[in-house]
Amino acid sequence: MAAASGDLTRSGDLRITELTPGDWPLFERLLGPGGLQGGCWCAWYRMTSRQYRETGPEERKAHVRDEVRAGKPLGLLGILDGEPVAWVAVSPRLDNPRLAASRVAALPDDDPTDVWSVTCFYVHRRARGRGIAAAMVRAATRHAFDRGARVVEGYPVDARKKRPAGELYHGTIEMFSAAGFDLTARRDTVRALMRISAR
């Protein structure tokens, strides 16, 4: 099925599009009034630890909304039958200051230039079990390369080790591997650094 104007891709009936100011209401609808994960609003990686700790849900929401309005890339929305059902955060690594202090995400080299990061996923419960998260990571990878990324990386969990559902927002090693990512480093027993380079 051909992509509609402004869309990045279609996967079956799923339409995947970049989050823009015009799509902000869909993002709000998907994350709900609480903004998921204790009012994160997908600001966790886009703030330093101190900034995040000193702000509440409404301030985090405003921070993310201001970045969208400024034209910064934040991620992609998955839309099914006109309703938002999925989100993947993908943006330049340097736009995610918390990654600089992350042991799991520590760079294997010293140059973060042109590295993009896939930091989190969310699929609404009504759309789970359809392979939507896998479609989102593939779309995120293509999107990053189209925007000039040299490398795309993710920080998934090992799904073979039973984890609470709330920790799966990083994605799984199996999902990233199926999308062509290579295992770069295992710095603990649960999380991994995975990367794919532009061809």
Side-chain angles (χ1 to χ4, degrees):
M1 184 181 296
S5 176
D7 296 342
L8 296 170
T9 188
R10 280 185 181 266
S11 179
D13 294 326
L14 178 70
R15 179 168 65 89
I16 302 174
T17 187
E18 183 176 12
L19 175 62
T20 64
D23 289 322
W24 179 261
L26 293 176
F27 182 70
E28 282 188 298
R29 193 184 313 165
L30 177 63
L31 269 59
L36 300 180
Q37 295 284 28
C40 177
W41 286 102
C42 217
W44 175 264
Y45 286 103
R46 302 192 69 88
M47 292 178 154
T48 65
S49 296
R50 181 175 181 178
Q51 286 174 320
Y52 192 90
R53 188 171 59 249
E54 293 179 352
T55 56
E58 286 304 313
E59 293 165 299
R60 296 170 194 149
K61 179 181 178 180
H63 177 83
V64 172
R65 185 175 55 235
D66 288 347
E67 291 197 311
V68 172
R69 287 175 175 168
K72 287 192 173 184
L74 268 83
L76 312 178
L77 285 166
I79 301 167
L80 194 62
D81 298 326
E83 284 295 314
V85 296
W87 164 253
V88 58
V90 56
S91 60
R93 182 182 168 111
L94 291 174
D95 287 350
N96 296 277
R98 190 180 289 265
L99 292 174
S102 169
R103 184 171 61 89
V104 170
L107 284 165
D109 53 53
D110 295 325
D111 184 9
T113 306
D114 301 327
V115 175
W116 280 50
S117 298
V118 179
T119 52
C120 69
F121 296 85
Y122 174 66
V123 178
H124 193 278
R125 62 181 176 274
R126 68 177 176 268
R128 292 173 191 165
R130 303 188 192 184
I132 287 177
M136 296 298 287
V137 74
R138 292 193 299 270
T141 304
R142 289 193 299 272
H143 175 63
F145 287 146
D146 287 347
R147 296 287 292 265
R150 170 178 57 88
V151 171
V152 182
E153 60 183 27
Y155 322 101
V157 299
D158 188 343
R160 296 172 304 175
K161 302 177 185 298
K162 189 168 179 60
R163 309 300 305 162
E167 292 185 18
L168 296 178
Y169 67 90
H170 300 289
T172 67
I173 289 174
E174 294 75 12
M175 185 172 72
F176 277 85
S177 180
F181 285 68
D182 294 319
L183 181 62
T184 302
R186 290 290 297 263
R187 297 186 172 110
D188 64 29
T189 60
V190 176
R191 300 274 304 286
L193 170 64
M194 298 188 73
R195 288 184 138 202
I196 186 171
S197 298
R199 301 295 195 263

